[in-house]
């Protein structure tokens, strides 16, 4: 589908907004009528992605208070589109005068300019991370629908700055500010982020996502395989550079005998496939990893050019996140949730 | 989109067929009217994916001769749907009696059965690799349209069985049967495949794809990013388990300073981004890698269950490819080509 | 959706083919797995639209034998795409030499040439009535699915050449060759058609369609209203020039009091709305009418121009239908059936 | 597409909102980057549909002031989604206590309740005419893009209460409050509307729309014919009961010789086809008519039932429009404009 602001088929979201317009938000269509829509539940998810939530995120403070504009009556979804909106704070576009004519390395400045022939240079325009507010708000509703069906989605920091989190304790994740699966690894990663920030630099990281409780049979053969659909959903999040399922890239070093998941009467004896075979869920946990690049905005000097093609030095001052992955975790969960509920609705339709 | 057999928006393909029906094929809609459609060019691409082409593929011999059923008049595309068809050879479904009641490890048997409640057990039904014939045939047309615009798509074996191909010579690729970028690595990988085959086992591999000549500005912000679209296209190919762009998962170990691609007046000084920033092409080479798991069908004994839930041993005899990636390379190119031509058409529409 | 050969969302059809290629056909995706697919049932519907079936149709004799190429296993739909194909008879394209350079009045010759810049002049190319074979074949499956849910679709000739059929006897329809609702009117219309044919002329007619047994609640508010969806489906049939629901254009002469359908505890007291309110089915019979223009191909001399812009006289010899509506009736039913089953699947998905 | 709030492919709109939520509005995606977006131009179109604009409309006064929330930078479209919003006035839902448990004749109350199992009874919820604000706002942008290409869309009252407007003077239309094509007919229709209002009743009418300046070649064969697409667009407007193109239903009384539009070197000698042949525009004026039923809300007593199935009398007090068509005219133009610009973008893509 295109031109790019709509995602999903039967649970469909359409987002709008850039960081310096009036508002950012989302229209959520296809919400099961009768669903309780509780504003605080949506707000809770938005709080997980909001800036200024901890010392590893940007110190910019935006409260990102969500409002419902339509589709809810007496606290319940009517089945018609739910519009959710977060007003942007007033921001002076003059703050962007320094960068308005140059292309920041690692940013979408260059590619957007080439695409549109016009560039909203304030806060990256539509390439702003604020675009994810709509995803998270819609995802909160999707997660609720899934939870009622016993399906739970959990993402966490798997690796950053070369430090891998090996033993995942799900209860630990939201207790540390990098959302790592164990407290010790969390501390090490936090130190690396602070060190990067102090060096005017940034670091990347790997986020793992586990979907438990999903029934077998989700996804469609050929082009709408569950993993293909998840791949589109996740790679559409800014700053991701890859996705892998189950054993992922490691299968290039394995044999068929090692990689195939055998079964006995209790089910699969391993889950190298990450819960998906032939593009269809198997009933085992769905597991994937995605990688977020280091924040492009750094205060170190970098070579670039300006609109006139002249070589200039770019120093991106400002209060940027020294790493993206901690705040991206609720975005990963949201996109996975939207894919899952959409597939569940499709499976119901197929058998009608 | 759904139910899963249609891909693309403005250059749109719809495939059908399983290995033991009458035919497999594809309807290609949106082909630029006036394009020369040359049957031998399509056949050439199909020959690159056909079984029996070398000692590292299945010895099954299927010639896979393509026919045009519509949409071409006096050798030119009329702009209406082109239907391309390959007849299946007669096959005895009795050959599948051994496996019809059990779920082969690593196959879609289990998940398809759970999804549909009915299972075409002959040659994996719709999960058969023959499904990719339609992709390759349609991709041949897409590649032709791209070539006329100076865009070239080349995929090759990057790594298999732990052996990585480091120096890529594009002229070398089609000269060796594993489509590796250098002759020496090719030999080593071929030996590993033969060894696996002799051990009734199989191996996986990583395919890299380079798209050169693509203009900046392709892809759409937010949900239809070029990399998101490519990710869906590539992960929809059976047996893939991941995709990464540019430096990919390696960025988790890099800093922003290391990862950002600086520019001077001649362009980008590096291409860690793999030619895509903010989901939009930059004009640099678009580079991605995908990983193919080892063939699931192996002749070693494996534990599984049958339809009644009883534990059984599965030995998949037959003439299977000991590795999938050599024949998957034209499929990767085809899917990338379909994405690219679709994005080029969208960019024209945006500016109309 | 586009580029135009795909229709439907969850029950989706993609057609291909023109009258002088190898074959015409359709890929039907989203068929409920386990459905019995009986070739003779599909053939029966195709026989209702085939040429040469009576003295009011073209004397061209084409048997239009349908073949299944995929998606059916042991007589049942697997849930994967069903490809249905009808081979074209060999035809000499030289038969079209007379018209290849001129634009026949009332035909798509001019508009296709302007659109594509290339024109398949044989048998109207993609604008051929043979394009509807795919619709009817897919519709046969849709009708079967609906019948299992107690939904029946019946279309018939309501009016032609100024003669209106007032008392509709559903059992009478298939007993007369114009598919009129009463035998007396049928005779009069048949005479008018024969008279037109003998005068080298043609006539138009109005087809009414009644869908009984459909549950309330089908269709979606705003853009995917059931009547809007039916309107697209029906107006997409060649030669239609309008559609109206319930009282249709007559409501322009009515007051609200006259037009509103009142209710008592047994249901609606009238059905002026044609079974749809606010775009959603009410449970009453869904009733619409569409109008087919007189066949464009007539053997009377007509003014037109050729490719060089020169004025010429066009006489379309050949064996053309002197009226389109008798053979279009199964096409109307097919399109209505596809819309209905798609909406039923969507309603199931909404409440999942 | 579904679930129903999104329309268009390359110029795509997604609307939200009901009459008693916070706001109604639209996300417009695919606007050509660089287009001047002038708020007053959008407001002008909204003023043409707003209530209280004349004595033939509801006396309810709502100013419907439009705001831009995204997608515009320094007065120009950036090519990213433009969100347009109109706040609803505060309204007491208690005003609807009388009707909340009964099904008003001619309204969507019954069908919505059956569809969703939950009913927003305030101001008809999503079935409110306020839903069209988003269409008109988006249409204002579409009309601007078309005008830059020399394409003009004009709709007007063709007939109401049995009074037909025969000589259309385009300059007259916006000078009378029913938007009729001549002043004399306007007066007669106005009198009929006032008479109906005074009788607590309502009347219907026919709106004709003429699109001039559209190039030949728009629309796609088979399912996305221009007339099929327009039919969906127009019938999706609440209260429409039919659409016809060119001579429309009258062709049932014509012969092929009478109906075919002949050509000479200056073009078509007539326009019975309404500017569309084979679903593709011919370059002649595109002409269609649609019919709006009399307003369902009338203050005369009508039989209906309530939620418990009990028979009750419904009297819809309140300030309702005694006829819908005068205010629907800008909605018709808006939908036609969206279809046209979408088709123009598709035609550009086809030939890329």
């Amino acid at each position: 589908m295109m031109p790019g602001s709509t995602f999903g088929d039967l649970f469909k979201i359409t987002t709008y907004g850039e960081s310096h317009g009036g508002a950012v938000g989302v229209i959520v269509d296809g919400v099961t009528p009768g669903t309780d829509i509780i504003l605080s539940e949506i707000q809770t998810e938005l709080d997980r992605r909001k800036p200024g939530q901890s010392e590893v995120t940007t110190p910019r403070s935006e409260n990102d208070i969500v409002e419902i504009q339509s589709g809810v009556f007496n606290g319940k979804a009517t089945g018609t589109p739910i519009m959710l909106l977060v007003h942007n704070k007033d921001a002076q576009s003059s703050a962007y005068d320094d960068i308005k004519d140059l292309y920041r390395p690692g940013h979408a400045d260059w590619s957007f300019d080439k695409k549109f022939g016009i560039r909203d240079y304030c806060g990256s325009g539509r390439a702003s991370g604020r675009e994810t507010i709509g995803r998270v708000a819609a995802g909160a509703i999707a997660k609720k629908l899934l939870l009622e069906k016993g399906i739970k989605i959990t993402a966490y920091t798997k690796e950053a700055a070369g430090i891998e989190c090996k033993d995942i304790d799900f209860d630990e994740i939201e207790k540390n500010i990098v959302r790592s699966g164990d407290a010790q690894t969390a501390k090490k990663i936090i130190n690396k982020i602070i060190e990067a920030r102090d060096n005017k630099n940034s670091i990347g990281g790997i986020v793992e996502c586990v979907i438990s409780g999903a029934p077998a049979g989700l996804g469609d053969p050929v082009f709408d395989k569950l993993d293909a659909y998840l791949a589109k959903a996740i790679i559409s999040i800014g700053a991701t550079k890859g996705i892998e399922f189950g054993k992922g890239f490691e299968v290039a070093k394995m044999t068929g005998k090692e990689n195939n998941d055998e079964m006995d009467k209790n089910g699969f004896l391993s889950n190298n496939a990450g819960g998906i075979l032939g593009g269809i869920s198997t009933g085992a946990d769905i597991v994937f990893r995605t990688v977020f690049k280091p924040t492009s905005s750094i205060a170190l000097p970098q070579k670039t050019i300006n609109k006139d093609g002249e070589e200039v030095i770019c120093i991106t001052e400002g209060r940027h996140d020294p790493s993206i992955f901690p705040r991206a975790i609720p975005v990963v969960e949201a996109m996975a949730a939207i894919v899952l509920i959409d597939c569940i609705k499709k499976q119901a339709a197929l058998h009608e």
Side-chain angles (χ1 to χ4, degrees), chain A:
Chain A
M1 218 157 307
M2 89 232 72
S5 301
T6 300
F7 184 85
D9 292 308
L10 293 167
F11 186 96
K12 189 196 294 285
I13 72 170
T14 304
T15 72
Y16 66 91
E18 44 272 335
S19 61
H20 286 69
V24 292
V26 63
I27 297 174
V28 192
D29 211 359
V31 179
T32 313
T35 305
D36 292 313
I37 303 297
I38 299 168
L39 203 57
S40 64
E41 291 177 352
I42 301 170
Q43 191 62 56
T44 296
E45 290 295 322
L46 287 172
D47 289 349
R48 292 175 70 212
R49 83 154 284 293
K50 77 173 175 185
Q53 63 182 272
S54 78
E55 62 179 325
V56 297
T57 68
T58 167
R60 272 183 295 118
S61 177
E62 293 166 61
N63 280 324
D64 292 344
I65 303 300
V66 67
E67 298 171 21
I68 297 176
Q69 295 284 350
S70 71
V72 178
F73 188 67
N74 291 340
K76 287 184 188 298
T78 61
T80 62
I82 297 176
M83 205 279 254
L84 300 167
L85 173 152
V86 168
H87 285 285
N88 288 323
K89 293 211 166 176
D90 293 324
Q92 292 172 295
S93 57
S94 63
Y96 294 91
D97 281 352
D98 287 352
I99 61 119
K100 76 175 184 178
D101 289 326
L102 58 79
Y103 304 113
R104 292 168 294 166
H107 272 272
D109 298 346
W110 167 266
S111 53
F112 266 55
D113 207 8
K114 293 290 169 184
K115 177 170 198 67
F116 295 111
I118 181 176
R119 183 180 148 211
D120 175 358
Y121 50 78
C122 293
S124 301
R126 185 67 172 152
S128 163
R130 281 187 77 69
E131 163 266 307
T132 59
I133 285 176
R135 303 180 189 236
V136 171
I141 298 174
K143 286 171 85 169
K144 184 189 183 78
L145 289 170
L146 291 172
L147 213 51
E148 289 173 358
K149 294 171 187 294
I151 303 169
K152 198 166 182 322
I153 297 182
T154 312
Y156 45 87
T157 297
K158 176 72 177 167
E159 184 191 318
I163 304 161
E164 192 177 350
C165 170
K166 299 222 165 152
D167 301 301
I168 314 293
D169 176 356
F170 275 40
D171 294 330
E172 187 59 38
I173 296 166
E174 291 298 318
K175 291 183 186 158
N176 67 75
I177 58 178
V178 287
R179 300 193 165 89
S180 169
D182 80 276
Q184 285 306 104
T185 309
K187 272 186 202 157
K188 293 181 201 164
I189 292 175
I190 291 166
N191 287 339
K192 286 286 186 183
I193 295 176
I194 290 171
E195 182 188 318
R197 186 192 62 198
D198 293 347
N199 291 335
K200 304 183 174 186
N201 213 334
S202 61
I203 63 165
I206 293 172
V207 170
E208 186 165 81
C209 183
V210 176
I211 303 167
S212 61
L218 303 182
D220 281 281
V222 188
F223 299 119
D224 287 334
K225 291 188 166 92
L226 178 56
D227 38 4
Y229 195 5
L230 283 166
K232 186 176 184 218
I234 298 302
I235 299 297
S236 81
I237 304 171
T240 53
K241 297 305 287 184
I243 187 168
E244 59 177 8
F245 296 84
K247 285 285 173 187
F249 278 88
E250 212 177 307
V251 296
K253 296 183 169 61
M254 295 167 76
T255 66
K257 176 69 179 170
E258 289 162 347
N259 181 53
N260 284 344
D261 297 312
E262 294 179 283
M263 297 184 86
D264 70 11
K265 60 188 174 183
N266 298 313
F268 291 99
L269 300 178
S270 54
N271 189 15
N272 294 334
I276 301 173
L277 282 172
I280 315 286
S281 66
T282 64
D285 280 358
I286 297 165
V287 182
F288 66 84
R289 279 170 300 286
T290 185
V291 61
F292 287 88
K293 68 177 184 179
T295 318
S296 301
S297 296
I298 55 174
L300 293 172
Q302 297 176 96
K303 290 181 196 170
T304 191
I305 59 173
N306 65 19
K307 285 209 157 199
D308 299 321
E310 298 161 335
E311 299 186 347
V312 292
I313 295 298
C314 172
I315 297 177
T316 312
E317 304 283 7
R319 297 162 300 164
H320 299 283
D321 291 271
S323 62
I324 292 164
F325 55 89
R327 287 177 55 206
I329 283 170
V331 186
V332 169
E333 291 176 1
M335 292 308 294
I338 292 164
V339 167
L340 264 282
I341 192 67
D342 200 33
C343 288
I344 284 171
K345 285 178 175 285
K346 285 177 192 172
Q347 177 72 343
L350 179 68
H351 285 280
E352 176 65 26

